[in-house]
C-alpha cells in the first residue's frame, strides 16, 4: 500500500472543515439548567451542539447514537476492540471584553475567534474530519472507531457518567482537548465549597456594611469580574478613594457608582483556566482583599479576612497547609472560582484543587477539614476525580509518539497537566493536542482562537493516529 499524504487529504477538505467548524462554533452551548427540558436536560444550547454533530455524522455515513440527550457517539469500522476519541461540545461562559462576537467564529489573521475554538469544538471537528478521511479512504481497520461526544465536560461530567452506564468502554483512546505532544499524566481534581458557619452579625463597630458580594461562575475559571454593594456610615468619599488607590496600585480596571445609600464597587480581572491560576488575575480575590481591610461587622470581617488570609496571592495551597509537588505532574494548585456573601446567607467560596498524581487527596481533605473547623467554615459539595497516568511503554503512547514525530519532525515529549480531560475516563487514554508547543493557551479567556494552520495540522495528525491505532 502506498504511503498516505495525510496533510494533502486534509487540504482537499479544507473549505468544508472550516465551514463545519464555524457552524458548530455559532452554537452557544453553555450549560443552562435553569431552562432545561426533558429532551435538553443540560440546556438547549448544549443539546443543539450535540444534535449538530450527530446529524453531521449521519450525513457522512457514520453510525450515530444519542445517549440520554447528554452524550452521543459516531462510529465506523469493524472489530471486537474499540478505539475511542473523546470530545466535548459544551463551552464555558463567554465572559466580557471580546473584540468580536464570541459566537460569530470570525476569521482574521489566520485564526478562528470564538468561545470553544480551542476548547473543544475546533479540536472536535479536527478529529471528526480525521475519522472522515480514514473512512473515505476505505483503509483496512481491525478495530471499530468511535467518537464519543459529551456536553458537560466543563461542569460535572454527567455526560460521561451517563454515557458509560449505557455504552461499552473503549480499550484505548485519546482526547483532543489539551496540548501536543502527548499528555500521559493528569492531576486529580477536587472541587468543593467552603461555607461559613452561622454566626452573629454584630454591627457595633462597623462603619462599612457589605450588602452583597459576588464573583465567578465556575470552579475551573479564574473570575474576571467581581461586584460588591456596600453601605458606608460616614466618610463615603474616603472609602471610595481607598478603593481607587488600591485598584490603581494593583493595575486593575475598576468602577464604582452611588445609588441612594449604597455604593457599588466593580473590579475587572483576567480570566484563565483554573488549572493554573497564575495565568489570570482573580477579580474576586482583589475585591475581597480590599474589603477585608475595611471596618466591617464581625460576620463580614470573618469571611473576607478568611478569603484574604488563605487565598490571596497563594495559588499553591501554602497558607491552607496543603502544598504538594511531585516530579510527574508538578505543583498542587488552588483556584477559588466562585465567591458569594450576604449578611443573611453568609459566605461561600467555591474552589477547585488540582493535585499531583502521587498526592493523597484523603489526607489533603483531612487537613482542610481540621483547619476549617478552627476557622468557622466547613466543606460542602465535595467531589473528587482521581489522577490519571499512563505508562510510556504502552502501545497507545508509542504509536502516538511515532505519529507526532513523523507529522511534525519534532520529538514527542510526554507532559503532565492540571486540567482534566475525558482521557481519564479510560484506563489507557491520553490527551493528545490540539495546542502545539509555543502557542499561547487562551482557552477560557476572552478572544479565544485557534490558528487555521493548527486546525489543519491537528486533523492530519489525528487521521494518521486513528489509522495506526485501529490497525
Amino acid at each position: 500500500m502506498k504511503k498516505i499524504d495525510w496533510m494533502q487529504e486534509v487540504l482537499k477538505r479544507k473549505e468544508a472543515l472550516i465551514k463545519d467548524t464555524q457552524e458548530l462554533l455559532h452554537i452557544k452551548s453553555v450549560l443552562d439548567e435553569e431552562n432545561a427540558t426533558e429532551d435538553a436536560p443540560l440546556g438547549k444550547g448544549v443539546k443543539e451542539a450535540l444534535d449538530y454533530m450527530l446529524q453531521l455524522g449521519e450525513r457522512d455515513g457514520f453510525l450515530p447514537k444519542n445517549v440520554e440527550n447528554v452524550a452521543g457517539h459516531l462510529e465506523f469500522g469493524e472489530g471486537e476492540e474499540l478505539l475511542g476519541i473523546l470530545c466535548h461540545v459544551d463551552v464555558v461562559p463567554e465572559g466580557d471584553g471580546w473584540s468580536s462576537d464570541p459566537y460569530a467564529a470570525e476569521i482574521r489573521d489566520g485564526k478562528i475567534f470564538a468561545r470553544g475554538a480551542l476548547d473543544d469544538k475546533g479540536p472536535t471537528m479536527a478529529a471528526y474530519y480525521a475519522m472522515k478521511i480514514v473512512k473515505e479512504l476505505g483503509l483496512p481497520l481491525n478495530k471499530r472507531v468511535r467518537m464519543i461526544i459529551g456536553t458537560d465536560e466543563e461542569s460535572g461530567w454527567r455526560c460521561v457518567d451517563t454515557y458509560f452506564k449505557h455504552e461499552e468502554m473503549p480499550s484505548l483512546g485519546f482526547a483532543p482537548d489539551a496540548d501536543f505532544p502527548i499528555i500521559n499524566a493528569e492531576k486529580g481534581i477536587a472541587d468543593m465549597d467552603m461555607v461559613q458557619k452561622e454566626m452573629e452579625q454584630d454591627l457595633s463597630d462597623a462603619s462599612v456594611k457589605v450588602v452583597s458580594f459576588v464573583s465567578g461562575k465556575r470552579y475551573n475559571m479564574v473570575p474576571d469580574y467581581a461586584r460588591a454593594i456596600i453601605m458606608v456610615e460616614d466618610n463615603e468619599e474616603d472609602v471610595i478613594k481607598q478603593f481607587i488607590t488600591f485598584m490603581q496600585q494593583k493595575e486593575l480596571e475598576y468602577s464604582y457608582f452611588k445609588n441612594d445609600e449604597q455604593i457599588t464597587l466593580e473590579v475587572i480581572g483576567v480570566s484563565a483556566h483554573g488549572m493554573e491560576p497564575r495565568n489570570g488575575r482573580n477579580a474576586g480575590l482583589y475585591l475581597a482583599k480590599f474589603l477585608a481591610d475595611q471596618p466591617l461587622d464581625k460576620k463580614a470581617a470573618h469571611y473576607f479576612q478568611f478569603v484574604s488570609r488563605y487565598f490571596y496571592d497563594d495559588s499553591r495551597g501554602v497558607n491552607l497547609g496543603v502544598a504538594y509537588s511531585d516530579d510527574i505532574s508538578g505543583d498542587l494548585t488552588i483556584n477559588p472560582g466562585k465567591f458569594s456573601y450576604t449578611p443573611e446567607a453568609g459566605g461561600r467560596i467555591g474552589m477547585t484543587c488540582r493535585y499531583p498524581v502521587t498526592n493523597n487527596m484523603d489526607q489533603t481533605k483531612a487537613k482542610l477539614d481540621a483547619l476549617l473547623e478552627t476557622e468557622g467554615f466547613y466543606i460542602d459539595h465535595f467531589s473528587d476525580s482521581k489522577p490519571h497516568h499512563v505508562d510510556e511503554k504502552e502501545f497507545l503512547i508509542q504509536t502516538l509518539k511515532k505519529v507526532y514525530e513523523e507529522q511534525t519532525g519534532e520529538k514527542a515529549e510526554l507532559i503532565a497537566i492540571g486540567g482534566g480531560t475525558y482521557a481519564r475516563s479510560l484506563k489507557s487514554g491520553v490527551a493528545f493536542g490540539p495546542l502545539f508547543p509555543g502557542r499561547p493557551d487562551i482557552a477560557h479567556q476572552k478572544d479565544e482562537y485557534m490558528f487555521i494552520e493548527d486546525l489543519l495540522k491537528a486533523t492530519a495528525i489525528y487521521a494518521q493516529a486513528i489509522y495506526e491505532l485501529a490497525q
Side-chain angles (χ1 to χ4, degrees), residues 104-128:
E106 189 176 295
I107 295 176
R108 58 182 191 273
D109 303 322
K111 308 166 190 170
I112 301 179
F113 287 83
R115 175 57 84 221
L118 189 62
D119 181 18
D120 185 44
K121 290 178 177 177
T124 294
M125 199 59 71
Y128 176 81

Side-chain angles (χ1 to χ4, degrees), residues 83-261:
L83 167 64
I85 304 160
L86 289 80
C87 307
H88 69 93
V89 292
D90 60 309
V91 298
V92 297
E94 59 274 17
D96 301 315
W98 286 67
S99 54
S100 59
D101 182 338
Y103 300 102
E106 189 176 295
I107 295 176
R108 58 182 191 273
D109 303 322
K111 308 166 190 170
I112 301 179
F113 287 83
R115 175 57 84 221
L118 189 62
D119 181 18
D120 185 44
K121 290 178 177 177
T124 294
M125 199 59 71
Y128 176 81
Y129 266 77
M131 287 175 55
K132 183 174 159 72
I133 287 167
V134 174
K135 179 177 177 294
E136 289 176 353
L137 291 176
L139 299 171
L141 305 178
N142 292 319
K143 299 182 182 81
R144 288 168 292 137
V145 179
R146 178 181 290 183
M147 173 177 278
I148 298 168
I149 306 159
T151 63
D152 190 36
E153 194 271 352
E154 299 291 4
S155 297
W157 283 40
R158 287 163 291 186
C159 48
V160 166
D161 294 341
T162 300
Y163 182 85
F164 286 119
K165 283 178 185 173
H166 299 277
E167 301 295 328
E168 71 180 286
M169 181 71 69
S171 53
L172 77 170
F174 64 86
D177 189 21
D179 297 0
F180 281 125
I182 301 163
I183 291 169
N184 72 319
E186 298 185 11
K187 291 179 184 176
I189 303 174
D191 292 342
M192 67 197 82
D193 289 342
M194 292 183 174
V195 185
Q196 186 180 28
K197 292 181 180 178
E198 285 290 328
M199 67 182 299
E200 291 295 321
Q201 194 171 355
D202 188 4
L203 298 170
S204 56
D205 297 323
S207 60
V208 176
K209 178 186 178 184
V210 179
V211 178
S212 68
F213 168 77
V214 65
S215 179
K217 297 177 181 177
R218 298 287 177 90
Y219 297 107
N220 65 345
M221 287 182 74
V222 175
D224 63 357
Y225 173 78
R227 183 186 73 241
I229 299 174
I230 63 173
M231 297 175 68
V232 181
E233 196 171 288
D234 47 36
N235 297 321
E236 275 189 1
E237 294 305 319
D238 186 46
V239 172
I240 290 171
K241 282 180 184 176
Q242 290 178 44
F243 174 70
I244 293 169
T245 300
F246 182 89
M247 294 307 160
Q248 286 179 342
Q249 287 174 345
K250 303 303 179 186
E251 298 181 339
L252 289 164
E253 291 184 50
Y254 63 90
S255 62
Y256 67 91
F257 56 90
K258 293 193 278 189
N259 182 16
D260 295 329
E261 297 180 346

Side-chain angles (χ1 to χ4, degrees), residues 266-332:
E266 296 180 317
V267 179
I268 306 298
V270 178
S271 65
H273 197 295
M275 68 180 174
E276 181 42 276
R278 288 176 177 170
N279 290 338
R281 304 195 72 195
N282 193 314
L285 284 182
Y286 284 105
L287 187 50
K289 173 66 173 170
F290 169 75
L291 292 171
D293 294 331
Q294 298 302 310
L296 306 176
D297 65 84
K298 183 179 176 182
K299 187 174 187 177
H302 175 246
Y303 173 74
F304 290 103
Q305 288 170 13
F306 175 86
V307 171
S308 180
R309 182 162 62 250
Y310 289 108
F311 295 102
Y312 183 76
D313 200 26
D314 177 17
S315 62
R316 267 43 187 177
V318 174
N319 295 338
L320 288 168
V322 296
Y324 189 95
S325 185
D326 67 22
D327 292 337
I328 299 171
S329 49
D331 294 343
L332 175 148

Side-chain angles (χ1 to χ4, degrees), residues 317-381:
V318 174
N319 295 338
L320 288 168
V322 296
Y324 189 95
S325 185
D326 67 22
D327 292 337
I328 299 171
S329 49
D331 294 343
L332 175 148
T333 62
I334 297 283
N335 180 62
K338 296 164 66 176
F339 300 91
S340 65
Y341 175 84
T342 64
E344 299 77 23
R348 297 180 78 97
I349 306 126
M351 61 168 243
T352 186
C353 172
R354 308 298 170 108
Y355 62 96
V357 298
T358 60
N359 189 79
N360 184 316
M361 178 44 66
D362 291 338
Q363 293 177 4
T364 298
K365 184 173 182 294
K367 290 178 184 177
L368 289 174
D369 284 333
L371 173 69
L372 296 186
E373 179 62 32
T374 67
E375 290 286 356
F377 281 75
Y378 66 91
I379 289 176
D380 193 20
H381 297 145

